Amino acid sequence: MKKLNYLLAAACVVFTLTGCPEPTPESTKSDDGMNWQFKAKWTRGKDGVIRTTVPARPAGQKHVLELKTPKLDVVRVGFVGLGMRGPGAVDRFLAMKDVGLNVEIVALCDYVKERAEGQNNKLINKGLKPAAIYSGEDGYKALCERDDIDLVYIATDWNHHVPVALYAMEKGKHAAIEVPSAMSVQDCWDLINMSERTRKHCIQLENCCYDFFELNTLNMAKKGVFGEVIRGEGAYIHDLSDFWNYYWKKDANDKLGWRLEYNRTHRGDVYATHGLGPVCQVMDIHRGDRLTTLVAMDTDSFIGKQLVEKATGEKCTHFENGDHTTTLMRTAKGKVIEIQHNVMTPQPYNRKYQVTGTSGFANKYPVQGYAVQGKTSTIEGIPNHENLNAHGFLPADAQQALVQKYTHPLILEIGEKAKKVGGHGGMDFMMDYRMVYCLQNGLPMDMDVYDLAEWSCLAELGYISMSNGCAPVEVPDFTRGHWNDIQGYKMYKTEDTWY
């Protein structure tokens, strides 16, 4: 006990010196119901860096980088979760035949049976074979146990993402999971191990990687327009005041809904993937570079507490998730990524998406544009403006010509169709299209299970950082030694790559 007291005293000194608030008992313990999913074991090194335990790869298990699986003439899909995001996914899959892909919706599952039945009417109205209906707490298990399903598409609340995905892969299905796919570091390792053991794809449905500006910027980066990309920014800044009441509630006593409840009980960036995913692709994370260390900091909760009090009529004394969270990360190659999260304050929607290179710059929010050094004015097809420099965005005609020259091949392929089908302006359809295309052609996915882990782990790792005086925390090498095997991010088109 004396030794423990010395350690605690030393820890308090460290917290004081960092300049961050000393953690409260509520933010460092889980026995009060707070941060209950965060259980990673960690130690602090002499260098001050906190490191979580990296489990050894089980014997006989191999990595799934650029995993290829047998071609599927028809991708047979079962949907689990048909509340806010699931119905749109059903609509998009019904449009796949219009772009030459073969899919069959075999089964539909939701906790509430009527939701699944409502989506089934879409198939019936199109003259298609009705899907099997599953419901209730364990309905997903019966769906996954079918032998006529290749892919389980998971759009449940966050707490059910991992259980459904693990069961799907265990039963021989590929798993596609809405964001964030994993809610803890242990979730990340569980999904990685199951994907590696079963040799099944486990991907995160990160639609923002397929937005038009992000795709074009990715293509420019791969073609060297920005030089060496050294810094990226991303965010999810979205005032959810109009949405809180619409998140699923488990019963009449549930006044908050699952998402507000999760924010109430968990600190850290719990929704990092929209901002982080596109930046990691541009910066070749686990494809020649890797995230090594993060530091996180947040504001107190101001609006969060008010939301709880308004919903319950009771005083809220503690709300874990800060109104605004900032996470800084450094890579093995000495580059930096900044990610922000804010779903509370009234401000315009903003994912930031900013790419800084040695010879160019891209920015999406709040002003969309590109800035490049003068050499770009000599690129064929780009208007030649005198004194072109990176002190300001390209003039409109030059920017239009730049985008036209570097329009991403995926946009050229199905961009117009995607806009008509919809889903956040078409990016959702392009995401689903790419997943089905790769399954049908036996190609590596655009996003793998290691992307899923790296983009989702900010929640718990950020919590550890903030709860320990904003200390540096090591980002685990989720590839367990293979982050440098592949050089450069790739998207496959048949047996070739677009870059």
Side-chain angles (χ1 to χ4, degrees):
M1 180 62 69
K2 184 179 293 186
K3 182 177 181 181
L4 177 60
N5 289 336
Y6 288 151
L7 290 174
L8 291 174
C12 290
V13 172
V14 173
F15 298 155
T16 304
L17 292 176
T18 61
C20 281
E22 184 173 338
T24 62
E26 291 87 354
S27 67
T28 57
K29 295 180 180 179
S30 58
D31 57 1
D32 60 356
M34 300 293 181
N35 299 294
W36 62 272
Q37 286 190 325
F38 297 164
K39 300 177 181 179
K41 296 180 180 179
W42 55 266
T43 57
R44 190 196 297 265
K46 293 182 179 180
D47 56 0
V49 177
I50 293 174
R51 294 174 175 86
T52 57
T53 301
V54 176
R57 178 172 278 117
Q61 199 164 289
K62 298 180 180 179
H63 71 73
V64 288
L65 291 165
E66 296 200 322
L67 175 67
K68 295 181 180 180
T69 56
K71 296 180 180 180
L72 298 172
D73 293 333
V74 179
V75 176
R76 302 167 300 177
V77 60
F79 289 91
V80 179
L82 295 164
M84 295 182 75
R85 291 286 292 151
V90 172
D91 292 338
R92 297 191 297 273
F93 268 70
L94 289 174
M96 287 293 173
K97 66 178 182 179
D98 297 336
V99 289
L101 297 180
N102 297 320
V103 301
E104 180 183 351
I105 299 176
V106 175
L108 298 164
C109 176
D110 192 89
Y111 189 89
V112 180
K113 185 177 182 180
E114 289 74 18
R115 287 179 174 177
E117 291 175 334
Q119 296 307 305
N120 210 14
N121 289 333
K122 295 178 180 179
L123 279 67
I124 296 171
N125 292 338
K126 283 184 170 289
L128 300 174
K129 179 182 177 181
I133 299 297
Y134 299 92
S135 61
E137 186 174 351
D138 294 324
Y140 73 90
K141 292 182 178 179
L143 181 149
C144 292
E145 289 165 1
R146 294 180 64 106
D147 59 6
D148 58 350
I149 290 177
D150 306 301
L151 170 70
V152 177
Y153 197 110
I154 303 162
T156 65
D157 63 283
W158 297 348
N159 290 324
H160 288 87
H161 282 173
V162 173
V164 178
L166 291 175
Y167 201 77
M169 288 185 283
E170 182 72 47
K171 297 302 178 181
K173 280 60 172 180
H174 301 294
I177 321 171
E178 265 292 353
V179 297
S181 299
M183 303 313 299
S184 69
V185 173
Q186 185 60 54
D187 283 349
C188 293
W189 287 119
D190 288 345
L191 291 173
I192 288 169
N193 282 330
M194 184 65 76
S195 179
E196 291 183 349
R197 180 167 68 82
T198 61
R199 315 306 292 174
K200 293 297 179 181
H201 291 293
C202 181
I203 69 167
Q204 187 160 241
L205 293 165
E206 184 38 75
N207 55 351
C208 293
C209 291
Y210 296 88
D211 207 350
F212 288 70
F213 186 88
E214 282 87 332
L215 281 173
N216 287 335
T217 302
L218 175 64
N219 199 36
M220 291 178 197
K222 296 308 170 188
K223 299 299 171 52
V225 171
F226 309 118
E228 183 79 7
V229 176
I230 63 172
R231 194 178 193 278
E233 288 189 27
Y236 187 71
I237 297 175
H238 186 191
D239 176 11
L240 293 181
S241 57
D242 291 335
F243 298 91
W244 293 119
N245 288 334
Y246 293 94
Y247 291 104
W248 179 72
K249 299 177 176 65
K250 59 181 178 288
D251 55 40
N253 295 320
D254 184 354
K255 304 299 183 182
L256 302 184
W258 66 263
R259 187 163 183 175
L260 184 57
E261 174 64 19
Y262 198 92
N263 279 269
R264 185 185 74 85
T265 56
H266 288 84
R267 195 178 185 187
D269 191 334
V270 297
Y271 204 71
T273 69
H274 282 340
L276 185 55
V279 171
C280 282
Q281 289 183 341
V282 166
M283 298 178 73
D284 297 327
I285 298 304
H286 83 246
R287 299 165 179 89
D289 200 358
R290 63 173 292 256
L291 304 176
T292 57
T293 311
L294 67 75
V295 173
M297 186 179 298
D298 59 353
T299 70
D300 282 344
S301 169
F302 299 90
I303 296 177
K305 291 180 179 178
Q306 296 173 11
L307 291 172
V308 172
E309 291 174 354
K310 180 179 179 181
T312 64
E314 300 175 356
K315 181 70 174 178
C316 178
T317 60
H318 196 74
F319 192 100
E320 276 289 282
N321 208 261
D323 284 356
H324 197 111
T325 297
T326 301
T327 307
L328 282 172
M329 288 159 282
R330 187 172 174 85
T331 77
K333 289 189 173 179
K335 302 176 181 182
V336 171
I337 299 174
E338 179 182 340
I339 301 296
Q340 298 183 40
H341 174 262
N342 183 334
V343 293
M344 294 296 177
T345 64
Q347 57 180 300
Y349 180 88
N350 188 347
R351 296 201 308 271
K352 288 188 175 292
Y353 190 62
Q354 189 176 102
V355 173
T356 301
T358 56
S359 60
F361 173 83
N363 190 80
K364 184 170 184 179
Y365 296 94
V367 177
Q368 184 170 302
Y370 296 101
V372 295
Q373 295 290 2
K375 69 173 186 177
T376 304
S377 65
T378 64
I379 296 177
E380 183 179 353
I382 307 300
N384 188 359
H385 292 265
E386 293 183 8
N387 300 320
L388 184 66
N389 57 58
H391 291 170
F393 288 124
L394 287 171
D397 57 344
Q399 179 167 303
Q400 182 179 2
L402 183 70
V403 171
Q404 185 173 358
K405 181 177 178 62
Y406 291 102
T407 299
H408 195 282
L410 179 59
I411 295 174
L412 295 175
E413 186 174 302
I414 61 158
E416 290 306 312
K417 175 63 178 178
K419 291 178 182 178
K420 293 178 182 178
V421 174
H424 293 94
M427 62 182 180
D428 293 6
F429 183 73
M430 287 195 287
M431 172 188 69
D432 290 340
Y433 168 88
R434 279 294 297 169
M435 177 174 59
V436 173
Y437 176 89
C438 291
L439 286 173
Q440 282 204 228
N441 290 278
L443 299 174
M445 293 285 182
D446 298 342
M447 301 176 284
D448 61 27
V449 71
Y450 308 114
D451 292 314
L452 180 159
E454 288 150 355
W455 305 350
S456 299
C457 71
L458 267 65
E460 183 164 10
L461 297 184
Y463 159 71
I464 293 172
S465 175
M466 291 182 288
S467 298
N468 289 278
C470 306
V473 177
E474 182 180 78
V475 179
D477 175 12
F478 289 106
T479 70
R480 288 184 278 213
H482 295 278
W483 63 272
N484 209 27
D485 290 2
I486 300 167
Q487 294 300 306
Y489 175 75
K490 297 177 177 64
M491 290 180 72
Y492 281 84
K493 175 68 174 177
T494 63
E495 292 301 323
D496 298 320
T497 61
W498 276 323
Y499 32 73

